[in-house]
Amino acid sequence: MCTVMSGPDSSPITATTLLRYSVTATDVQTVRQQLNAADKCDDQMIRQFVQATGGDLTTAIKRIQATLTWRAQVHPETMTCTACQQLPKSHYMHLVGYDLIDRPVMYSCLEMVTNRSIEDNRRHMISCFEQCVQAMPPGVGQWVWVSDFKGFGLSDCDPRLAKVFLDLSAAHYPERLGLFIVVDAPWIFNTLWRAISPLVDPFTKQKIKFLSYDVSKRYPQGKTLAPALSQVFDPELTSWLLAELAENRDKRVGPNKVCFIMHVSPPSGVGQVLASSGHNSVPQSTALACRA
């Protein structure tokens, strides 16, 4: 195991599923009996809400009904990022593969973002969340988010975007976040963390890990970075992430890259890389079609 930077939780990073509450089959059946037969709510969705409420089935039912109403009004499953459709360089957050326990993995990089509109980012976030849910194989209910903080500046200290994520997650995607890996957070991030920390559930804080980008000539994959990533991802996806992190710090390459949009399907193997965004070492996957 590899120790991470000091952060919300300083325990070693591992590919494990943290559960707030162990949901039983009886819990699922009890909740389903209170829902309409026509409601589009699978067992995994019920489990997520029951976990989030710590087994309070009455509250879980109310929250599920609120989310079903929201989904009927908003149709998040078909939502696309209109900003990225108009300008592909608007955002840089997308589904890239699976971790060692088959959880979908998202990667984002602030250095590559040109659009910081709260509403546009909310739409892009929902689109990514929905892709992750669609890509989950049976029995998997969480995703992993690798957030590269290269490019984080004063303009990113606005807590409203972080609040959008927290509100969306709590209201409509509870317990979906399995692990949030923050890479290369600068000292100025402490300003944002102080603002949002009181809003973050203590259990969720256990899922937030900070890693240094400690790549150097002596340690071309980082003294601690690569070992830490390899605790969660297989060698192929670890290599992809290291190459992606390096590219997005290369001014000859990074400015020419755009976020890719995909159609997804469940993985055929753990740690699978979904698609290439320009890394010669990453094979093309039959799991999706991507656009650069």
Side-chain angles (χ1 to χ4, degrees), residues 93 121-129 145 161 165 168:
M93 173 183 178
N121 275 273
R122 187 186 69 84
R123 289 185 62 88
H124 191 96
M125 199 176 294
I126 291 173
S127 176
C128 288
F129 289 175
W145 185 350
L161 183 56
F165 163 67
L168 267 177

Side-chain angles (χ1 to χ4, degrees), residues 132-153:
C132 283
V133 172
Q134 293 170 26
M136 289 175 180
V140 174
Q142 296 183 328
W143 58 63
V144 175
W145 185 350
V146 179
S147 183
D148 184 357
F149 269 53
K150 169 65 175 175
F152 185 93

Side-chain angles (χ1 to χ4, degrees), residues 240-256:
W240 188 94
L241 287 167
L242 290 169
E244 181 74 4
L245 289 161
E247 277 192 359
N248 293 344
R249 285 159 175 75
D250 187 340
K251 295 188 180 300
R252 298 167 300 176
V253 179
N256 299 317

Side-chain angles (χ1 to χ4, degrees), residues 78-146:
T78 62
M79 184 176 291
T80 59
C81 180
T82 52
C84 284
Q85 288 178 330
Q86 296 171 5
L87 182 64
K89 293 181 181 292
S90 295
H91 304 117
Y92 203 82
M93 173 183 178
H94 42 250
L95 180 60
V96 298
Y98 293 84
D99 78 344
L100 292 173
I101 55 176
D102 269 359
R103 295 178 298 188
V105 179
M106 289 183 292
Y107 171 82
S108 64
C109 180
L110 288 167
E111 178 77 1
M112 315 295 287
V113 175
T114 61
N115 182 327
R116 282 173 163 77
S117 160
I118 300 298
E119 176 56 25
D120 287 346
N121 275 273
R122 187 186 69 84
R123 289 185 62 88
H124 191 96
M125 199 176 294
I126 291 173
S127 176
C128 288
F129 289 175
E130 288 293 317
Q131 287 179 5
C132 283
V133 172
Q134 293 170 26
M136 289 175 180
V140 174
Q142 296 183 328
W143 58 63
V144 175
W145 185 350
V146 179

